[in-house]
Amino acid sequence: MTHPTELGAFLRARRMELSPAEIGLPAGGRRRVKGLRREEVALLASISTDFYTRIEQGRRQASASVLDGIARVLRLSDDERSYLYELSGKEAAAPSGRAAQKVQPQLRRLLDDLATTPAVVLGRRTDVLAWNAMAAALFTDFAQLPEEKRNFVRLVFLDPAFHRLYPEWEHVARACVAQLRMEAARDPADPRLAALVGELSVRDDDFRRWWGGHHVEVRDVGRKVIDHPISGRLVLDWSALACTTDPDQQLITLTAEPGTPSHDGLRLLASWQAGEPSRVGGTGQT
C-alpha cells in the first residue's frame, strides 16, 4: 500500500535538510528557500524534473532503481531508505555496493620501479588508486586530495589546473565521458558512479551535454599533449596494462620517444621532482 501524502512530505523534509554545498553543488546565488531544489535532486538522481515532481506530489509511482537513486542523492540512512520504500509500497532491497578497491601489490611495485616514467593505477570509474612521484609531478599531488576526489575524470572537468595542462582539453574530456559511459554499461547499479555522473552533470555544462550523447569508447593506447609549467609542451604516448588478478585495475604509463624534446622534458621533470620531493608528494595510494 502506498502513502503518497506522507511520501511527499518525507521527501520534501529530507530535501530541505541538505544544502548544495553538502553534495558538491555551487550555491547558485540567492535562494528563496533553503535546501535542494527539485530539479537538483532530479538531475543527481538521473531522472527528469517532471518525473521527480510527480513522485513528490504523489502523482507517480517510482521503481526500485529510481527510489535507490533518490535515496542516494538525499543521503538517506538505511532506516530512512527502508521507510522510503515502505511509503512507496515496495520491498526494500539490500543496499548495493562493492568493497573499496585497493591497488594490487604487483602494480604497486611496478610504480615504484618507474623512476622516470609517470604512471598511475586507475580503478573503477577512473578512481586513482595509486601513483608514482613522476605522475604527481606531471599531473597533481594526489596525496593532497581527499580520497573521494581522487578521480581522473572528475579532475579533468572540475580542477582548473588539470584543465590548463591540456591544450586539447575537449578531446581529452570527450574521451573521458565516453570511457565513463562504458563503465556505466558494465555496472549500471554502481552508486558511486551514479553520484559522480550526477555531480559532473550539475557542475559542468559540457559534461552534461556530452553524457547525453551516449558515445562510448575503450582504448588501450593513445597520445596526450600536455603543457607543463616546468618541462614545457610534452607529447606523450600512454599505454594501459590490465591487472590479471583484478581486471578493474589498470596501470597507465606515459612515455616519450627517445631523442625528442618530450623525452628530454620528462628527464627534466624527473630531475626537478627528485631535487624537490616536498613539492610533488612522492608515491601514494588510497
Side-chain angles (χ1 to χ4, degrees):
M1 180 177 179
T2 61
H3 304 271
T5 302
E6 290 86 346
L7 174 63
F10 177 67
L11 290 176
R12 285 191 295 273
R14 297 290 78 78
R15 180 164 59 85
M16 293 298 100
E17 288 180 347
L18 285 175
S19 69
E22 286 181 280
I23 57 174
L25 299 179
R30 194 170 184 178
R31 293 180 173 237
R32 291 180 296 176
V33 295
K34 64 178 182 178
L36 299 178
R37 299 185 178 109
R38 284 173 174 165
E39 56 266 30
E40 291 169 337
V41 176
L43 184 57
L44 291 171
S46 300
I47 59 178
S48 71
T49 300
D50 179 67
F51 188 13
Y52 176 77
T53 300
R54 288 172 178 267
I55 294 171
E56 198 174 275
Q57 292 175 343
R59 296 188 291 127
R60 182 72 180 270
Q61 290 193 17
S63 65
S65 61
V66 169
L67 292 176
D68 275 342
I70 294 172
R72 170 182 51 78
V73 172
L74 297 180
R75 299 190 174 183
L76 301 185
S77 67
D78 288 346
D79 289 342
E80 290 172 330
R81 182 174 174 274
S82 297
Y83 183 61
L84 173 65
Y85 268 80
E86 185 175 335
L87 293 177
S88 303
K90 291 182 170 57
E91 184 178 349
S96 61
R98 290 183 282 180
Q101 283 184 292
K102 297 293 182 183
V103 64
Q104 293 291 304
Q106 61 270 39
L107 295 184
R108 174 75 271 164
R109 291 193 294 269
L110 270 175
L111 282 179
D112 293 337
D113 288 341
L114 297 173
T116 60
T117 299
V120 298
V121 176
L122 298 184
R124 296 187 292 267
R125 306 169 293 270
T126 72
D127 289 341
V128 181
L129 304 180
W131 60 95
N132 64 5
M134 279 292 287
L138 180 66
F139 293 115
T140 189
D141 188 353
F142 297 103
Q144 298 301 314
L145 298 175
E147 183 175 338
E148 67 274 11
K149 294 186 179 180
R150 292 178 195 160
N151 177 276
F152 205 86
V153 175
R154 188 182 191 280
L155 289 168
V156 166
F157 278 93
L158 300 185
D159 189 312
F162 241 69
H163 197 301
R164 290 192 294 270
L165 285 175
Y166 293 112
E168 301 172 350
W169 179 85
E170 181 174 336
H171 174 75
V172 173
R174 282 180 174 269
C176 285
V177 174
Q179 182 179 351
L180 211 59
R181 261 290 176 194
M182 184 61 74
E183 289 272 347
R186 293 192 186 106
D187 190 2
D190 182 358
R192 290 188 60 184
L193 177 58
L196 175 64
V197 170
E199 179 189 13
L200 294 176
S201 296
V202 170
R203 299 183 62 181
D204 191 278
D205 293 338
D206 288 328
F207 181 90
R208 181 169 61 253
R209 183 171 66 256
W210 296 335
W211 182 260
H214 293 267
H215 297 294
V216 296
E217 180 180 17
V218 176
R219 291 190 299 163
D220 297 323
V221 296
R223 175 163 290 184
K224 289 185 183 293
V225 180
I226 293 177
D227 281 340
H228 197 272
I230 300 298
S231 50
R233 175 155 293 193
L234 301 172
V235 181
L236 304 177
D237 297 312
W238 64 267
S239 300
L241 307 175
C243 176
T244 56
T245 57
D246 184 354
D248 287 334
Q249 293 189 31
Q250 289 187 318
L251 174 69
I252 312 296
T253 61
L254 297 105
T255 60
E257 185 178 351
T260 63
S262 295
H263 187 266
D264 295 338
L266 282 183
R267 294 301 181 270
L268 172 63
L269 188 61
S271 299
W272 176 80
Q273 69 85 18
E276 301 180 56
S278 62
R279 294 182 61 185
V280 298
T283 60
Q285 67 182 72
T286 63

